[in-house]
Amino acid sequence: MYWQEKYETMSREELSQLQYQRLKAMVERLYNSVPFYQQRFKEKGIVPEDIKSLEDIKHIPFTTKQDLRDTYPFGMFAVPQDDVVRLHGSSGTTGKPIVVGYTKKDIDTWGNLLARCFTMAGATKSDVVQNAYGYGLFTGGMGVHYGAETLGATVVPMSGGNTAKQLMLMQDFGATVLTCTPTYALYMAEEAHAGGVDWDKVKLKVGIFGAEPWSEAMRKQLEERWNITALDIYGLSEVLGPGVACECLQKQGMHIMEDHFIAEIIDPDTGEPLPYGQKGELVFTSLTKEAFPVLRYRTKDISVLYPEQCACGRTHVRMERVTGRTDDMLIIRGVNVFPSQVESILLEFGETEPHYLLVVDRKGSMDDLEIWVEVSANMFSDKVRGLEDLEKRLKSRILSVLGISAKIKLVEPKSIPRSEGKAKRIIDKRV
């Protein structure tokens, strides 16, 4: 099923032509309406007329999160304030938030892209969407909400938290689609299996999970515990919000909405573009956003792009699930370590819960990594020898795959703090 078949299945030649026309128009508009971009173009000695093909995008300067902070709050807006109908922003945990704006047309575009995502997941107007993404300045809740309404589905705007009520209404309202972070979905499943849920009343068939990196092993856990199909969705406020890309039922990577964004992969150290199939940092350029478009925005998210047409018939490039970020990548004794890599290894064993914590410290001049892992209730009640054996096997596997030794600390079920949003996976005591 398609939501906008004309765009989702257009040939690569048609798509490239559309992207070029939209890129050229966007560059000219931003050059003439946003002083930041005009200044950056002048510093690099280029003008909009120099963009004569899609390949010329590599000459356009990057935009970074620091640029957005430096122009707080509205310095990157490309329309008059009167045309802005919605503001969202980052949490601002490291300072003032990144502010993003939307015109009425932007909201319509966003709703249609999320409706595409729901359609990719097999949802229709007959479905009931329990939306447990947070509402407020965060784009997750509102973005998914309007997308589901654009589809025509019934939306239950639960936001995050209040898990007992989530589970009660999930049964009473007959939710068929669950949307939230994967870690919160796991926590809800844990609570549901702990008792009090009539599984005959749980009608869920698919979950659309995002806002944090998660692994194939966690997909397996989610699908088994909820008896659903679990799909990945990608987005970031600086580019649009959720709906920049989403998996279809083929589960072969997330389709990037290429008629609205140009995606690139670059070497995070040199900034040079990398070919399809190589891992690097994702960079996005807006093609249709009116209020707050970005040119070559460096996301810091690590992924891979695949150009082959999907079996679902969609022609847009697919991105591999995000395996980490350049700025939350741990460097331990010279080794790059992403939490998602550790997660995949832990869940291979089937004897641990998908809840863990990486505790990094420095002992003398040496980095020290300790991995706290919750074991299953059955395993925890097993003999000490069994736990010691599991600890040894985990330690050996971490060393084998990541090339780094780590201490393994097996902890009781439910002893690692749960999250109703993005999970906290790292405690770095070195900084």
Side-chain angles (χ1 to χ4, degrees):
M1 292 190 298
Y2 308 107
W3 179 252
Q4 294 173 314
E5 183 172 359
K6 172 185 173 184
Y7 293 103
E8 295 175 71
T9 63
M10 66 196 321
S11 71
R12 294 301 305 175
E13 291 74 20
E14 290 176 311
L15 186 56
S16 295
Q17 184 60 31
L18 179 67
Q19 285 185 316
Y20 172 63
Q21 290 170 357
R22 290 180 168 179
L23 173 66
K24 190 169 175 57
M26 180 62 77
V27 168
E28 289 174 355
R29 188 162 74 86
L30 291 185
Y31 184 86
N32 292 314
S33 61
V34 181
F36 166 84
Y37 283 113
Q38 189 171 111
Q39 180 64 31
R40 282 295 171 87
F41 272 56
K42 286 179 178 176
E43 288 171 0
K44 200 158 187 186
I46 62 172
V47 292
E49 290 72 24
D50 292 329
I51 307 303
K52 296 175 179 171
S53 69
L54 271 183
E55 288 67 36
D56 287 335
I57 195 172
K58 63 187 177 188
H59 301 305
I60 296 175
F62 290 115
T63 305
T64 67
K65 180 165 281 191
Q66 188 59 48
D67 294 327
L68 307 188
R69 289 190 177 122
D70 291 344
T71 52
Y72 173 89
F74 306 133
M76 299 292 275
F77 283 20
V79 297
Q81 194 71 29
D82 286 354
D83 293 341
V84 176
V85 301
R86 173 99 62 84
L87 295 174
H88 279 287
S90 65
S91 60
T93 50
T94 56
K96 290 186 175 178
I98 303 299
V99 182
V100 295
Y102 302 81
T103 65
K104 179 66 172 63
K105 186 179 177 186
D106 289 335
I107 296 294
D108 291 343
T109 300
W110 197 9
N112 273 299
L113 294 189
L114 260 306
R116 282 190 198 177
C117 298
F118 281 109
T119 306
M120 286 182 196
T124 69
K125 61 181 295 184
S126 301
D127 281 291
V128 178
V129 178
Q130 182 152 327
N131 185 20
Y133 282 112
Y135 283 67
L137 270 185
F138 173 56
T139 50
M142 296 288 279
V144 169
H145 181 112
Y146 279 89
E149 285 193 349
T150 301
L151 178 71
T154 303
V155 186
V156 184
M158 286 300 299
S159 195
N162 207 351
T163 305
K165 193 168 187 178
Q166 296 257 10
L167 294 173
M168 180 187 79
L169 296 184
M170 180 186 290
Q171 299 168 81
D172 294 346
F173 293 174
T176 52
V177 181
L178 176 63
T179 54
C180 59
T181 60
T183 49
Y184 187 48
L186 270 176
Y187 175 59
M188 291 173 69
E190 194 173 86
E191 293 297 300
H193 283 278
V197 167
D198 181 350
W199 285 96
D200 288 337
K201 291 184 177 179
V202 176
K203 307 298 182 189
L204 287 183
K205 61 181 184 181
V206 65
I208 302 176
F209 305 121
E212 61 184 12
W214 54 299
S215 63
E216 199 61 28
M218 186 176 277
R219 189 206 299 273
K220 187 170 182 289
Q221 293 268 345
L222 286 163
E223 294 190 332
E224 287 179 355
R225 295 187 182 199
W226 279 116
N227 190 27
I228 59 171
T229 297
L231 300 176
D232 202 357
I233 188 171
Y234 176 83
L236 63 170
S237 300
E238 296 89 335
V239 176
L240 178 74
V244 172
C246 188
E247 275 187 313
C248 68
L249 293 171
Q250 298 294 325
K251 302 180 187 173
Q252 295 296 312
M254 291 175 277
H255 294 273
I256 294 172
M257 311 301 178
E258 284 194 285
D259 47 329
H260 293 274
F261 313 102
I262 293 176
E264 300 172 82
I265 290 286
I266 63 165
D267 182 319
D269 295 323
T270 67
E272 289 300 312
L274 296 174
Y276 288 134
Q278 285 200 21
K279 181 172 289 190
E281 180 183 347
L282 269 170
V283 172
F284 281 102
T285 294
S286 310
L287 295 178
T288 57
K289 192 110 178 275
E290 290 186 332
F292 182 88
V294 286
L295 297 178
R296 301 197 83 198
Y297 181 72
R298 293 189 62 161
T299 67
K300 296 185 181 293
D301 287 332
I302 301 297
S303 184
V304 182
L305 299 181
Y306 299 106
E308 297 82 11
Q309 184 172 330
C310 181
C312 74
R314 293 177 177 84
T315 53
H316 294 193
V317 162
R318 287 164 290 125
M319 60 178 274
E320 190 176 271
R321 70 171 65 244
V322 171
T323 53
R325 288 176 53 80
T326 57
D327 58 356
D328 71 1
M329 179 181 71
L330 288 166
I331 301 178
I332 302 171
R333 287 170 244 146
V335 177
N336 297 340
V337 178
F338 289 105
S340 57
Q341 292 175 303
V342 175
E343 177 187 299
S344 293
I345 295 168
L346 297 178
L347 294 181
E348 284 177 10
F349 287 76
E351 296 159 274
T352 64
E353 297 294 320
H355 303 289
Y356 62 94
L357 201 56
L358 309 185
V359 182
V360 190
D361 203 350
R362 183 156 289 153
K363 304 287 177 65
S365 60
M366 288 288 290
D367 292 334
D368 181 76
L369 171 63
E370 187 169 85
I371 303 174
W372 297 9
V373 193
E374 280 190 14
V375 295
S376 65
N378 289 340
M379 191 67 198
F380 197 74
S381 62
D382 203 351
K383 295 177 181 177
V384 173
R385 181 175 294 178
L387 293 174
E388 289 177 345
D389 177 63
L390 174 61
E391 189 178 305
K392 286 180 183 175
R393 285 184 286 127
L394 287 171
K395 185 180 175 70
S396 173
R397 185 64 175 154
I398 292 286
L399 178 62
S400 171
V401 175
L402 300 183
I404 186 171
S405 63
K407 296 174 185 172
I408 305 296
K409 181 179 178 180
L410 301 179
V411 299
E412 297 179 39
K414 299 188 178 182
S415 60
I416 291 177
R418 303 303 197 248
S419 170
E420 293 175 349
K422 296 184 181 183
K424 182 177 176 61
R425 300 294 198 196
I426 301 169
I427 296 177
D428 194 341
K429 298 179 178 178
R430 300 173 299 178
V431 295

